[in-house]
Amino acid sequence: MDRRAFVKLGLAGGAASLAAACGWDGGNALRPRLLDISRLNDWVGEKIFFSPTRLARTYSAAERSAMLPSYFISSMMPMLVNPDAWRLRVDGLVRQPLELLLDELMRMTRVTYTVKHHCVEGWSAIATWHGVPVSAMVERCRPLPAAQYIDFVSFDSGYSNGWDLASALHPQTILAYGMNDQPLPPAHGAPLRLYSPTKLGYKLTKYLVSMTFTDRRPGGYWEDQGYPWFGGI
């Protein structure tokens, strides 16, 4: 691909992402074209720009933002009726299905980093996150060779996100149970959420209850409405 074609591709992909983010799909005439461009944009992000070793910039705790806006799909903040009954279910194309308590997750390998969160709506904020690497979960459940994707599902009105396995294995992709040196608050996805500074905020499933390994690319709440599937930064 020559430079002119590459720039044209980037502009087209950016336009598709902006249209999706603003909730406009172009109408019946433009919708198929925009979806085609969005799929191409996803392919470029996943196959060309993504690097399994490129790390997002980290910051000191002193640089944390005063607040990190919260957002969710329910009409009110999602809360567990019985927190003691919560489990993380790991299933699908795996050799070892799992059901894990929060205490069990907290005893696994721990990652802490202070990074900048980016929202598709245009704002960003710096916060510290604590959790277990998704790669540690993958090591424990031992996916089958056919497993190329993970479907992350929330108890927030059935919210979900599909991820490619390579992005999930990135060293900064974690299952976060803490934020800013405290337990993860309900407004940000308690008791557990998916987190990565290499993805836009809508890809970071909050109120997590399951991760299912599959050989088919899962959709997602916003992705099924036209938002870019890859959602990388």
Side-chain angles (χ1 to χ4, degrees):
M1 184 181 297
D2 62 30
R3 184 174 182 274
R4 181 177 298 177
F6 190 78
V7 171
K8 183 178 180 182
L9 172 63
L11 291 174
S17 299
L18 179 61
C22 294
W24 178 71
D25 63 9
N28 291 333
L30 291 179
R31 186 181 297 115
R33 178 60 176 160
L34 286 173
L35 290 176
D36 286 343
I37 293 173
S38 184
R39 283 191 287 267
L40 181 57
N41 194 34
D42 286 333
W43 184 89
V44 171
E46 183 177 351
K47 304 299 182 181
I48 297 179
F49 289 131
F50 174 75
S51 167
T53 58
R54 180 181 62 84
L55 300 180
R57 177 186 170 185
T58 57
Y59 300 80
S60 70
E63 296 175 280
R64 293 194 300 224
S65 301
M67 66 169 292
L68 182 71
S70 60
Y71 48 94
F72 37 82
I73 303 303
S74 302
S75 58
M76 59 185 68
M77 186 184 300
M79 299 285 288
L80 287 172
V81 176
N82 182 6
D84 293 335
W86 180 90
R87 304 286 190 278
L88 175 67
R89 188 177 72 254
V90 183
D91 58 14
L93 298 178
V94 297
R95 295 181 177 89
Q96 182 62 57
L98 304 169
E99 277 202 6
L100 298 170
L101 296 166
L102 188 60
D103 285 347
E104 293 177 290
L105 290 166
M106 295 177 71
R107 288 197 295 268
M108 294 176 64
T109 302
R110 178 185 172 98
V111 167
T112 293
Y113 52 53
T114 302
V115 291
K116 183 174 288 187
H117 179 97
H118 297 276
C119 178
V120 73
E121 294 176 346
W123 58 265
S124 60
I126 297 172
T128 301
W129 302 91
H130 319 274
V132 55
V134 172
S135 59
M137 300 296 297
V138 169
E139 183 178 350
R140 179 172 289 198
C141 72
R142 296 182 293 133
L144 297 172
Q148 297 299 315
Y149 303 96
I150 306 177
D151 188 20
F152 294 93
V153 177
S154 165
F155 66 78
D156 183 10
S157 299
Y159 193 94
S160 67
N161 294 108
W163 278 51
D164 63 288
L165 188 57
S167 292
L169 289 172
H170 187 277
Q172 289 179 315
T173 304
I174 65 173
L175 303 179
Y177 47 71
M179 176 183 173
N180 291 341
D181 309 316
Q182 300 294 327
L184 189 68
H188 291 286
L192 191 72
R193 70 172 292 171
L194 180 63
Y195 198 81
S196 171
T198 69
K199 296 284 188 179
L200 289 166
Y202 69 86
K203 294 294 295 183
L204 309 179
T205 319
K206 296 193 292 186
Y207 312 105
L208 193 63
V209 291
S210 70
M211 45 189 295
T212 299
F213 290 76
T214 176
D215 58 352
R216 295 186 179 183
R217 193 175 87 163
Y221 183 89
W222 290 115
E223 296 90 329
D224 292 345
Q225 300 180 56
Y227 278 49
W229 187 87
F230 189 68
I233 299 173

